[in-house]
Amino acid sequence: MTDRIVGLVFLTLSIWYGVTAGDYKASFGDPLGPAAFPMMVAVPAALMSVMMILQPGSNPAWATGRPMARQAATLAVLLGYALLLERLGFPLATMLGVTLLARLIGTGWQKAISAGVVIALLLYVSFDRLLGLPLPLLPNLTG
C-alpha cells in the first residue's frame, strides 16, 4: 500500500509540475522554450509514479526514529533552499544547502563546507556564465 500512496503523491506532483512549467514564459534561453527541461523531468516522473501504483513492491515499513528525522530535515533544507534562493543569492543559498545536505549524510564539517563552496561556484559559473541563465548573485537585502 505504501508504494501506491507514494506513487499517487508523486503522480499528482508530476502533473502539477508539468502543468505549471508549461505555462512559464521567459524572454531568454533555449529555442524550445523554458518548459522543455521541466517537461523532460515531469513526464518520466509521472510514468514511474504510474508504475509504482500499478506494480507496487512488497509492503515496506515506514521509516521511524532517526531515519525519519533525517528525511524530514532533508525536506526542510530543500524547502528552505527554494524559499531563500532569491533572498540570499544563488551562490550563498546553494553553498548553505549543499553543506547542510552533506552534513545530513554524515560528512564532517570541513568536507561539507568545501563541497558547498565548490559546488555553488561551479553551478553558478556553469549556469550564469556559460549557459547564459541569469541567477541572483548577491543577497537581496531590501526585501
Side-chain angles (χ1 to χ4, degrees), residues 1 4 15 23 25 30 53 69 73 86 105-106 110 119 121 124-125 128 140:
M1 190 63 166
R4 287 192 169 122
I15 292 169
D23 292 339
K25 304 285 187 259
D30 192 345
I53 295 168
E86 286 188 41
I105 62 171
Q110 185 175 358
I119 289 171
L121 292 175
Y124 182 79
V125 169
D128 194 76
N140 179 2

Side-chain angles (χ1 to χ4, degrees), residues 83-128:
L83 294 173
L84 295 174
L85 182 62
E86 286 188 41
R87 181 170 291 235
L88 295 180
F90 182 85
L92 180 58
T94 302
M95 190 270 307
L96 288 172
V98 170
T99 299
L100 293 174
L101 290 173
R103 286 292 296 152
L104 283 170
I105 62 171
T107 305
W109 277 108
Q110 185 175 358
K111 289 181 180 179
I113 292 169
S114 297
V117 169
V118 169
I119 289 171
L121 292 175
L122 285 175
L123 287 175
Y124 182 79
V125 169
S126 296
F127 283 98
D128 194 76

Side-chain angles (χ1 to χ4, degrees), residues 70-80:
R70 283 187 172 199
Q71 290 175 13
T74 300
L75 287 174
V77 168
L78 294 173
L79 181 60

Side-chain angles (χ1 to χ4, degrees), residues 62-74:
W62 286 86
T64 58
R66 190 167 175 88
M68 179 60 107
R70 283 187 172 199
Q71 290 175 13
T74 300

Side-chain angles (χ1 to χ4, degrees), residues 7 10-22 35-52:
F10 274 100
L11 178 61
T12 303
L13 288 172
S14 299
I15 292 169
W16 172 78
Y17 182 70
V19 168
T20 302
F37 179 75
M39 287 300 182
M40 291 187 316
V41 172
V43 170
L47 293 174
M48 287 187 268
S49 300
V50 169
M51 290 304 297
M52 286 180 73

